[in-house]
Amino acid sequence: MRLVHSFAAGQWIAPGPGARAIESAITGEVIAQAGNDALDVQAMRAFARDRGTVALQAMTFHDRARMLKALALYLWEHRQVLYDLSFDTGATQSDHLIDIDGGIGTMLVFASKGRREMPDSRIYIDGPPEQLSRTGQFQGQHICTPLQGVALHINAFNFPVWGMLEKLAPTLLAGMPAIIKPATATSYVTEACVRLMLDSGLLPDGALQLIAGGTGDLLDHLDCQDVVTFTGSAQTAKQLRATPNVLNSAVRFTAEQDSLNASVLGPDAVQGTPEFDLFVTEALREMTAKAGQKCTAIRRILTPSTQVDALITALRAGLSKVIVGNPRETGTDMGPLVSSSQKMDVLQKAAQIGTEAERVFGDPETFSMADDQAAFLPPMLFHCANPDAAHAVHDVEAFGPVSTVMPYNDMDHAAALLNRGKGSLVASVITRDGDVARALAMASAPFHGRLYFNNRDSMAEATGHGAPLPHMVHGGPGRAGGGEELGGVRAALHYMQRTAVQGSPDILSAITGKWTPGATEHVDKPHPFTRPFDDLTIGDTLHTPSRTVTLDDIETFANFTGDTFYAHMDHAAAAANPFFPGRVAHGYLLLSFAAGLFVQPDPGPVLANTGLDNLRFMKPVEPGDSIKVRLTVKAKTPRNDDYGEVRWHVALTNQNDEAVAEYELLTMNEY
Ligand code: NDP
């Protein structure tokens, strides 16, 4: 018997009063127990805040991203332990790839995004500064800072590893500690994964704790600095959301709950096209992966009425080849559901669907593995001929290998049926017709967190209807819970507070660590290109002498580059253009002259110019005008052990001090 421990305030705590038995999905035997009503959940919260928050928030985003990468690589090295345990949850080896490899991969994506898309600091800057006054001496900037409490992750049974890591990675990246509360049924796998992470020694104290079993009165003690992210049934979500303290203290509460996801066979994707076959492949995979226990699985299959028979025939042929069996055996395509009670729940929901749809594949009564104890079920396909009059097919989520085919007449009808899910995590559309895609996107995007389009052009590389990707938002409106997870850096922002900061450019620069136009310039130092990365400070500025731009310069540049656009070569044609007074200098000539003015030519700490962002040409330069440059260190980001990136703010002005061009220049500089 496996004893699933909690990890509370630095101690592993064995099951105790109120512990629940956990059965093997394969045999129905009790294999573990978890839960301890005596767990001191308030001490856990205090430990997270006093130790975890403090340690994590002393780190920068890059420090935390590096920690996530190391953690993910450690888990990858030790993943066999998790595979071995997971079979008893009913998962096959290919299900492990979704849950375990997918979870580790998700963590790696957040590690990479944290390094590439977040600053090496403790404040995230959200968008550009807003000029709030005439001269720019009073500006605004949105910033995000990590909340100072703890994130309580209450997770569903179906993905004991991915379900934890997809929330934990952005939480830690943001700088918040987490208390994980996995669903009891599969908590032994989550516990093993938490043990690995703690054993790795990579996490600061208090960053990660585990509750195996109930959460006690923890929700009664959370406040506005804590976050609850819930995944599971709509009923539990409703109950937890309504906890008086959660409402009174405005505790952030995100929910991922039931979802009647649909997939649409496009009107062009008729039998005989690659799209038809692709649709069948995707539908079969979604019905059987994780035995259909996926929040994103396809529950409703929408097809043009002309294709109903062909589609049902193809799906039945595919389902008849699915080998249901012991997930440990190679060759098994689909394992059992997580428990016999989940099996009973699915059978009951399938019976409800069966009141308004005909079952066209999969009879649980005659299913040969229908052992009362084990949790095996066959995949079950229904056909609902009149989906407009039906309710259960749109409302009842049988969280298992159950799906219903239903016909639609035209795109408006397809969209109306899609939206009968009352808010879903994902809908897919298999079509090559851009008009169909656009019509459904317009009509159904507001009802969905994700729309997945696939056809012969993308199918070799497409990631699958049911796969939430760390880069893209996962969550959905309405019935799906109204929550949002993943989505790249957005996911970390759910654990942070966005604050509008207003003040002078110097104050904003001091807060953000980034130079804001109008802030103090440090001009009395040697040329910034002669000073290594570490010697540069934000606001270091070079003002160049001016250079007059002649007609000869313009013609030489035009003939040399081949850019003889009329605005540079033909006075009358240029003057007829609303933007130009007559012949003007090329924008790229101005950039080249700017470089000529600010560059220090000798070998030195500047290794390379790696790019240029946010370029704007504001005023044309005519022959005889002169330009000068202000070059200012705006931000610095270490990249590796040898060099870091310097972001320079570059402003070109003319002889009247009018802005001519502005951009940000990126260089790599030696330390
Ligand atoms: P539940 O809603 O029963 O449980 C979800 C989580 O909430 C579990 O960790 C559970 O813990 C916990 N929980 C339940 N009651 C409380 C409580 N009073 N206080 C604190 N935590 C609590 O969902 P299941 O995991 O059993 O899944 C059931 C249904 O949820 C599925 O049939 C499906 O409809 C839906 N689901 C939706 C998913 C999605 O992402 N949209 C994913 C998975 C499931 P414990 O296990 O200890 O009771």
Side-chain angles (χ1 to χ4, degrees):
M1 172 80 67
R2 203 178 170 91
L3 300 180
V4 186
H5 287 58
S6 296
F7 185 73
Q11 305 289 325
W12 285 102
I13 312 283
R20 278 158 51 189
I22 301 172
E23 66 188 59
S24 160
I26 307 170
T27 62
E29 284 167 32
V30 173
I31 53 166
Q33 57 167 273
N36 187 335
D37 291 343
L39 201 63
D40 187 350
V41 289
Q42 287 193 54
M44 292 178 76
R45 178 169 173 268
F47 188 70
R49 284 184 164 219
D50 298 345
R51 307 283 279 273
T53 308
V54 172
L56 287 167
Q57 295 187 8
M59 300 163 77
T60 66
F61 292 108
H62 286 203
D63 294 335
R64 297 192 288 257
R66 278 189 286 270
M67 177 184 78
L68 286 182
K69 183 172 180 186
L71 209 49
L73 295 176
Y74 185 88
L75 288 177
W76 183 253
E77 218 177 290
H78 295 83
R79 68 193 184 286
Q80 188 63 44
V81 176
L82 304 175
Y83 292 165
D84 293 344
L85 274 177
S86 281
F87 288 117
D88 263 316
T89 69
T92 61
Q93 182 60 35
S94 53
D95 292 335
H96 298 344
L97 301 186
I98 306 175
D99 185 33
I100 297 162
D101 295 25
I104 297 170
T106 296
M107 196 170 238
L108 281 171
V109 170
F110 279 107
S112 157
K113 286 195 166 283
R115 289 289 309 282
R116 284 187 289 110
E117 297 173 27
M118 300 182 91
D120 189 28
S121 77
R122 300 184 301 133
I123 291 182
Y124 181 79
I125 298 167
D126 183 19
E130 299 284 346
Q131 187 158 332
L132 303 176
S133 67
R134 196 172 47 79
T135 68
Q137 276 308 307
F138 186 69
Q139 300 192 20
Q141 175 69 62
H142 291 100
I143 62 167
C144 299
T145 48
L147 295 178
Q148 293 176 3
V150 61
L152 172 62
H153 296 317
I154 302 177
N155 298 338
F157 68 80
N158 55 343
F159 289 114
V161 176
W162 178 86
M164 167 173 58
L165 298 184
E166 62 109 2
K167 295 177 181 177
L168 182 62
T171 302
L172 294 176
L173 182 60
M176 273 191 100
I179 297 176
I180 313 286
K181 187 265 174 281
T184 300
T186 55
S187 56
Y188 51 98
V189 183
T190 309
E191 185 223 40
C193 190
V194 168
R195 277 186 191 274
L196 284 174
M197 288 192 277
L198 292 171
D199 288 351
S200 76
L202 293 161
L203 285 169
D205 272 358
L208 175 61
Q209 296 179 83
L210 176 73
I211 296 179
T215 51
D217 62 354
L218 185 52
L219 266 70
D220 297 333
H221 297 277
L222 302 181
D223 66 26
C224 72
Q225 293 301 303
D226 300 308
V227 180
V228 180
T229 65
F230 171 84
T231 308
S233 63
Q235 200 186 347
T236 311
K238 192 164 121 189
Q239 181 197 336
L240 298 183
R241 247 188 228 283
T243 307
N245 179 56
V246 170
L247 295 173
N248 294 338
S249 302
V251 177
R252 276 193 206 185
F253 191 100
T254 304
E256 294 272 349
Q257 53 198 47
D258 314 358
S259 180
L260 273 293
N261 313 295
S263 185
V264 180
L265 180 70
D268 54 314
V270 295
Q271 191 182 20
T273 61
E275 281 74 24
F276 184 89
D277 297 340
L278 169 63
F279 185 88
V280 171
T281 304
E282 291 245 11
L284 291 172
R285 184 174 56 216
E286 291 304 320
M287 281 185 74
T288 55
K290 287 291 292 184
Q293 301 163 111
K294 281 197 331 183
C295 52
T296 51
I298 297 171
R299 307 290 173 204
R300 300 178 299 144
I301 296 173
L302 275 52
T303 168
S305 34
T306 55
Q307 301 299 308
V308 170
D309 291 342
L311 186 61
I312 290 177
T313 304
L315 288 170
R316 289 177 63 163
L319 290 171
S320 64
K321 293 191 197 125
V322 172
I323 299 171
V324 182
N326 186 330
R328 284 200 173 85
E329 283 166 18
T330 46
T332 296
D333 298 310
M334 188 176 106
L337 303 192
V338 72
S339 62
S340 50
S341 65
Q342 185 65 20
K343 174 171 116 178
M344 296 315 295
D345 185 65
V346 169
L347 283 172
Q348 191 210 336
K349 303 271 175 61
Q352 279 178 268
I353 291 169
T355 59
E356 51 191 30
E358 178 198 1
R359 196 178 58 229
V360 292
F361 187 89
D363 182 354
E365 297 293 325
T366 59
F367 183 58
S368 60
M369 299 185 75
D371 173 345
D372 276 354
Q373 296 306 309
F376 292 96
L377 273 182
M380 286 177 263
L381 185 68
F382 288 84
H383 170 219
C384 176
N386 186 357
D388 295 320
H391 293 281
V393 294
H394 304 294
D395 290 341
V396 175
E397 183 193 37
F399 203 69
V402 181
S403 202
T404 305
V405 174
M406 49 190 88
Y408 70 83
N409 307 322
D410 55 28
M411 293 331 294
D412 285 346
H413 189 211
L417 292 175
L418 271 181
N419 299 351
R420 292 265 318 257
K422 302 191 188 78
S424 304
L425 294 172
V426 53
S428 55
V429 186
I430 306 299
T431 184
R432 218 174 168 219
D433 184 333
D435 291 338
V436 167
R438 186 174 155 75
L440 285 180
M442 282 303 297
S444 290
F447 285 79
H448 293 85
R450 181 162 62 90
L451 292 178
Y452 170 92
F453 295 94
N454 201 2
N455 60 34
R456 72 190 76 176
D457 304 322
S458 49
M459 65 184 185
E461 295 178 16
T463 44
H465 161 107
L469 297 176
H471 318 69
M472 308 299 292
V473 161
H474 173 56
R479 175 156 185 177
E484 209 178 76
E485 294 172 354
L486 302 179
V489 167
R490 290 174 192 85
L493 301 187
H494 294 141
Y495 301 95
M496 303 174 80
Q497 176 63 41
R498 179 182 293 112
T499 305
V501 180
Q502 294 165 268
S504 71
D506 273 339
I507 291 294
L508 294 188
S509 295
I511 293 170
T512 60
K514 259 189 176 180
W515 187 79
T516 305
T520 301
E521 301 169 8
H522 310 298
V523 292
D524 48 358
K525 297 183 181 175
H527 192 292
F529 275 31
T530 62
R531 287 184 285 132
F533 185 88
D534 291 333
D535 284 359
L536 293 172
T537 54
I538 303 302
D540 283 358
T541 297
L542 174 78
H543 285 277
T544 71
S546 62
R547 168 174 187 151
T548 301
V549 180
T550 66
L551 191 59
D552 195 35
D553 290 332
I554 296 171
E555 289 184 344
T556 303
F557 189 80
N559 293 324
F560 178 53
T561 60
D563 179 355
T564 52
F565 187 61
Y566 70 87
H568 315 304
M569 305 308 284
D570 179 338
H571 178 80
N577 178 314
F579 286 91
F580 304 121
R583 293 176 71 177
V584 295
H586 305 67
Y588 301 119
L589 171 60
L590 300 177
L591 295 188
S592 302
F593 279 165
L597 288 168
F598 66 67
V599 153
Q600 209 287 339
D602 301 329
V606 178
L607 302 175
N609 167 0
T610 54
L612 191 157
D613 281 345
N614 304 324
L615 171 63
R616 290 283 175 281
F617 294 117
M618 289 114 115
K619 192 171 175 60
V621 171
E622 295 179 76
D625 285 350
S626 58
I627 57 163
K628 57 186 183 305
V629 184
R630 190 224 341 106
L631 175 79
T632 305
V633 177
K634 176 169 180 174
K636 292 169 40 176
T637 312
R639 285 286 175 223
N640 61 25
D641 291 343
D642 300 321
Y643 52 81
E645 181 186 271
V646 181
R647 182 175 287 269
W648 309 81
H649 189 269
V650 187
L652 274 64
T653 45
N654 65 16
Q655 64 280 3
N656 302 320
D657 286 331
E658 293 166 315
V660 163
E662 201 174 85
Y663 55 99
E664 289 169 17
L665 172 75
L666 302 172
T667 61
M668 287 299 172
N669 289 34
E670 269 177 335
Y671 295 130

